[in-house]
Amino acid sequence: MLLENFLKGLAYIFPAYVANATPVVAVRILGRSHPLDGRISLPDGKRLLGEGKTIEGLLAGIGVGTVTGLVMQALLPFIFRSSLEVFTLSAGALVGDISGAFIKRRLGLPPGHPAPPLDQLGFLVAGLLLTHASHGLPPWLDLTTIILLIAFTFGMHVGTNLFAYAVGLKDRWY
Ligand code: CTP
Ligand code: MG
């Protein structure tokens, strides 16, 4: 039951994963991007969001995450309850990512600077919160499963970064 819920939960949050991972690839493919904050700085002298959050990244993330969820919904109709739900999971992920950047700038951290667990979990927590606020979370997605999913996501993030560093894809381990 626990394993079943965990696996179902992984499928459930997959659109949020995709939404979160898409911007970096999309911006690289597009080759140009426009900062979401219009290069505005706040009275603290720091950018509102910074160069790492772009309009292209936002739209691509929500779009690709939602389309992924819609395809999954067709294949696995028992996971999602509505098409809007895959949208809130994806859009919430981007809201979390952008909120994280806002917080990092207020703390004086430059784009790309690590801020655990904000970087690893902000997108997931925000995706679930927005879905909870708009649809309520599915009854099978209980607190234990959510905690497992959060722990798994954190571990995955650290693990994949370590791997990318080990094989030379990244020049920092975090
Ligand atoms: N990205 C984007 N738009 C977004 C999110 C991400 O264009 N809404 C792209 C940017 O090129 C960004 C990269 O994906 O540099 C990596 O994303 P992320 O790690 O979230 O951003 P950081 O560069 O670490 O910036 P920050 O510290 O503000 O999160
Ligand atoms: Mg980052």
Side-chain angles (χ1 to χ4, degrees), residues 128-174:
L128 289 175
L129 276 178
L130 185 63
T131 307
H132 170 70
S134 53
H135 300 78
L137 291 175
W140 55 266
L141 193 62
D142 52 19
L143 190 59
T144 313
T145 309
I146 292 176
I147 290 170
L148 276 179
L149 290 170
I150 288 176
F152 175 83
T153 302
F154 190 81
M156 271 273 293
H157 215 281
V158 174
T160 48
N161 280 349
L162 273 173
F163 177 78
Y165 173 73
V167 299
L169 279 172
K170 283 188 68 176
D171 49 10
R172 281 174 296 190
W173 68 269
Y174 46 81

Side-chain angles (χ1 to χ4, degrees), residues 112-135:
H113 191 91
L118 216 53
D119 293 327
Q120 292 81 6
L121 300 179
F123 80 94
L124 178 57
V125 171
L128 289 175
L129 276 178
L130 185 63
T131 307
H132 170 70
S134 53
H135 300 78

Side-chain angles (χ1 to χ4, degrees), residues 19-28 33-34 36 49-59 61 94 97-98 100-102 104-105 109-115 119 157:
N20 187 54
T22 296
V24 59
V25 182
V27 166
R28 216 172 268 189
S33 51
H34 301 82
L36 198 54
L49 300 172
E51 290 291 317
K53 303 299 138 183
T54 68
I55 297 172
E56 289 82 354
L58 172 68
L59 297 179
L94 268 297
D97 177 53
I98 290 165
F102 176 81
K104 283 169 77 173
R105 297 305 88 80
L109 301 173
H113 191 91
D119 293 327
H157 215 281

